[in-house]
């Protein structure tokens, strides 16, 4: 049996809490990506609290955290400026029977930061915003079909998207048939899809960029295709918003979509998302146009004052303190260190860092160079033992050089074990135990 003498974490309280979670909450978490199946067996910490770039579990272990709040906490936990704005508004009331003045102030701040949009409507989560974009596109075009990018992992919890995943149970086939897919970066394939369903596709929806940069001319080419075929171009900027530039990917690449959706980093952990876009389209969900009204977005808690105050504080902090540039600098330092550590331990072809510096992920490959959940499990186990909680390497601006240096040291130690496992006559002896699992799968 392989061994590396790494001291195992003691997560007794976390294990008990995970059992309580599963007894009361389907999946043991309110977000599938936070489930304990995403971590090595018996090594899924339950969090007590966080401060800056660090979190503590209920067993008393401290971790440097990456991918904080599934990329939402980009300024670090309990950021003083955000918390102060939230506290101020909570003391003035959080929800009223009429709009609060905070709603227009937040809209003005958002549109000043994302000047490519002309109107904005706030919601609580990304799914509601993207589904509203799809509904609006269908209403504006009178077309039934949605074309989404097949290479992007998530758009919404609603049927139009979930029906395309391995977890499609409960989605009627008739609904499923109305969603079609196109590959990222391939304009010819997208044009062929549009030609296959003439005058049927309401919108093209995609993340403008992910782990790879868009090919030269690609986003502009999509803009042209949407215009020529009469469909709406929707950018899902849940991740790229703020992380690519303060104005999102559309601000960085200079291609303006008809509609775009923002979330995650927008509230630094507080629940707020946004649908933004051209006035001509957005006003169809309003009161000042002559046509049929579109039920765009309407929720009791959509304009909670403290969440909008958080968003305003986040936007101001990004612009005034150059947060996006800091995220890129931290990510570059981390990516360089991880790659050098992997190379030095002889696993540079097996532990890979990918993505834009502000949005890094890692891949773990097996002896044959294929993606491996077992090797991901081994890697995660040793990161956790070294005090690094990292389902990804997505940075927050609260990290400092010491955090990055420690992370690289722990990665080097994990890579040394990784090399031993690759060289072992029986690699399974090093990667034993239940492997971590992908979120989207048909069976448990």
């Amino acid at each position: 049996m392989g061994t590396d003498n790494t001291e195992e974490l003691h997560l007794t309280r976390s294990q008990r809490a995970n059992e309580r979670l599963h007894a009361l909450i389907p999946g043991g978490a309110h977000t599938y990506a936070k489930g304990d199946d995403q971590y090595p067996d018996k090594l899924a910490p339950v969090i007590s609290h966080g401060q800056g770039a660090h979190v503590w579990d209920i067993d008393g272990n401290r971790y440097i955290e990456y991918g904080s709040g599934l990329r939402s906490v980009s300024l670090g936990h309990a950021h003083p400026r955000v918390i102060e704005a939230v506290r101020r508004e909570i003391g003035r009331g959080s929800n009223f029977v009429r709009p609060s003045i905070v709603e227009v102030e937040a809209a003005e701040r958002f549109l000043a930061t994302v000047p490519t949009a002309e109107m904005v409507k706030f919601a609580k989560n990304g799914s509601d915003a993207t589904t509203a974009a799809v509904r609006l596109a269908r209403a504006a075009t009178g077309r039934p079909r949605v074309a989404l990018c097949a290479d992007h992992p998530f758009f919404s919890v609603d049927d139009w998207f979930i029906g395309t995943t391995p977890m499609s149970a409960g989605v009627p086939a008739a609904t499923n048939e109305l969603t079609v897919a196109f590959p990222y970066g391939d304009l010819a394939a997208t044009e062929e899809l549009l030609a296959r369903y003439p005058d049927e596709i309401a919108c093209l929806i995609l993340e403008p960029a992910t782990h790879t940069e868009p090919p030269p001319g690609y986003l502009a080419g999509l803009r042209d295709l949407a215009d020529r075929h009469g469909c709406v171009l929707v950018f899902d900027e849940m991740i790229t918003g703020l992380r690519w530039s303060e104005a999102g990917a559309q601000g960085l690449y200079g291609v303006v979509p008809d509609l775009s959706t923002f979330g995650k980093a927008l509230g630094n952990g507080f629940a707020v998302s946004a649908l933004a876009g051209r006035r001509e389209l957005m006003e169809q969900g309003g009161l000042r146009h002559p046509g049929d009204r579109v039920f765009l977005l309407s929720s009791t808690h959509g304009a909670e004052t403290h969440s909008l105050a958080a968003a305003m504080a986040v936007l101001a902090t990004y612009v005034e303190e150059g947060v996006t540039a800091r995220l890129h600098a931290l990510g570059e330092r981390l990516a360089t260190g991880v790659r050098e550590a992997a190379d030095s331990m002889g696993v540079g072809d097996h532990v890979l860092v990918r993505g834009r510096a502000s949005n890094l992920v890692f891949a773990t490959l097996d002896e044959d160079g294929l993606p491996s959940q077992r090797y991901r499990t081994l890697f995660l186990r040793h990161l956790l033992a070294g005090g690094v909680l990292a389902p990804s390497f997505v940075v927050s601006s609260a990290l400092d050089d010491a955090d990055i240096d420690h992370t690289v040291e722990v990665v080097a130690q994990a890579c040394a074990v990784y090399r031993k496992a690759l060289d072992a006559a029986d690699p399974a002896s090093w990667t034993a135990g239940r492997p971590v699992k992908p979120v989207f799968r048909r069976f448990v």
Side-chain angles (χ1 to χ4, degrees):
M1 185 73 175
T3 180
D4 57 21
N5 297 319
T6 299
E7 182 180 353
E8 287 290 336
L9 277 175
H10 297 291
L11 296 182
T12 305
R13 292 180 179 174
S14 290
Q15 289 180 48
R16 288 200 296 262
N18 276 314
E19 289 303 312
R20 291 166 58 199
L21 284 162
H22 278 283
L24 301 173
I25 302 166
H30 287 94
T31 311
Y32 282 118
K34 296 183 182 182
D36 58 2
D37 60 341
Q38 303 300 293
Y39 293 85
D41 193 28
K42 297 182 175 58
L43 289 179
V46 174
I47 304 303
S48 164
H49 63 284
Q51 182 69 48
H54 300 108
V55 295
W56 286 258
D57 66 26
I58 60 175
D59 292 279
N61 301 297
R62 188 183 80 156
Y63 308 87
I64 300 168
E65 187 193 39
Y66 293 91
S68 313
L70 303 182
R71 296 179 172 86
S72 68
V73 186
S74 60
L75 299 178
H77 298 289
H79 186 275
R81 187 169 183 175
V82 177
I83 293 301
E84 174 56 31
V86 168
R87 283 179 175 148
R88 183 172 60 249
E89 286 304 325
I90 282 180
R92 292 160 50 86
S94 62
N95 211 336
F96 311 105
V97 75
R98 279 281 294 148
S100 162
I101 190 63
V102 176
E103 295 183 43
V104 70
E105 292 171 349
E108 289 169 344
R109 170 73 70 173
F110 179 92
L111 294 171
T113 309
V114 186
T116 41
E118 296 173 322
M119 297 187 84
V120 63
K121 195 159 191 182
F122 295 109
K124 301 308 288 181
N125 62 71
S127 292
D128 286 352
T130 53
T131 292
V134 166
R135 185 185 304 116
L136 183 55
R138 282 172 162 162
T141 62
R143 299 175 179 182
R145 295 188 188 274
V146 177
L148 58 79
C149 183
D151 299 310
H152 297 162
F154 188 79
F155 290 102
S156 174
V157 300
D158 294 300
D159 286 1
W160 65 269
F161 171 69
I162 291 299
T164 69
T165 75
M167 294 177 71
S168 61
V171 179
T175 298
N176 224 15
E177 292 166 2
L178 293 177
T179 301
V180 295
F182 60 91
Y184 187 78
D186 191 335
L187 290 173
T190 306
E191 185 160 26
E192 191 279 329
L193 181 71
L194 290 164
R196 193 187 320 156
Y197 299 103
D199 300 324
E200 291 187 42
I201 294 177
C203 64
L204 302 173
I205 182 168
L206 73 158
E207 295 181 64
T210 54
H211 307 321
T212 58
E213 288 292 291
Y218 174 62
L219 295 178
L222 275 182
R223 175 71 277 173
D224 179 64
L225 281 178
D227 290 340
R228 286 195 286 114
H229 289 268
C231 54
V232 175
L233 181 61
V234 183
F235 282 177
D236 179 340
E237 296 235 39
M238 291 296 157
I239 293 174
T240 54
L242 298 179
R243 283 193 179 273
W244 261 240
S245 81
E246 287 81 1
Q250 57 196 278
L252 179 65
Y253 300 124
V255 175
V256 181
D258 298 302
L259 300 171
S260 56
T261 58
F262 288 72
K264 292 193 182 288
L266 183 58
N268 201 54
F270 286 92
V272 59
S273 63
L275 169 64
R278 291 195 293 115
R279 181 177 301 277
E280 176 188 355
L281 284 171
M282 295 287 289
E283 193 64 88
Q284 291 187 37
L287 298 175
R288 297 185 175 183
H289 76 101
D292 290 343
R293 293 182 67 197
V294 179
F295 194 93
L296 191 58
L297 281 167
S298 182
S299 62
T300 299
H301 300 293
E304 281 179 335
T305 58
H306 57 273
S307 292
L308 295 182
M312 285 191 286
V314 168
L315 291 168
T317 302
Y318 262 82
V319 172
E320 294 169 16
E321 298 182 13
V323 172
T324 303
R326 175 167 173 77
L327 294 175
H328 280 90
L330 288 165
E332 290 286 2
R333 180 183 175 94
L334 177 63
T336 298
V338 169
R339 288 170 181 143
E340 289 176 351
D343 287 341
S344 69
M345 296 300 170
V347 295
D349 293 330
H350 298 272
V351 176
L352 308 178
V353 181
R354 295 171 173 163
R356 193 169 184 84
S358 60
N359 189 52
L360 296 172
V361 297
F362 58 82
T364 52
L365 310 184
D366 65 12
E367 301 86 351
D368 300 317
L370 299 175
S372 170
Q373 293 296 101
R374 287 199 173 276
Y375 277 99
R376 178 177 174 84
T377 307
L378 180 151
F379 192 61
L380 286 174
R381 185 165 66 241
H382 291 280
L383 292 184
L384 287 164
V388 176
L389 181 58
S392 68
F393 281 142
V394 177
V395 297
S396 75
S397 65
L399 292 159
D400 59 25
D401 289 348
D403 293 324
I404 300 293
D405 291 344
H406 178 75
T407 301
V408 171
E409 290 175 9
V410 172
V411 167
Q413 295 165 10
C415 286
V417 181
Y418 204 117
R419 183 68 260 174
K420 292 177 182 178
L422 289 169
D423 292 338
D426 179 18
S429 66
W430 288 84
T431 58
R434 187 236 336 128
V436 298
K437 299 178 180 181
V439 169
F440 284 112
R441 60 186 191 276
R442 186 174 180 185
F443 299 107
V444 174

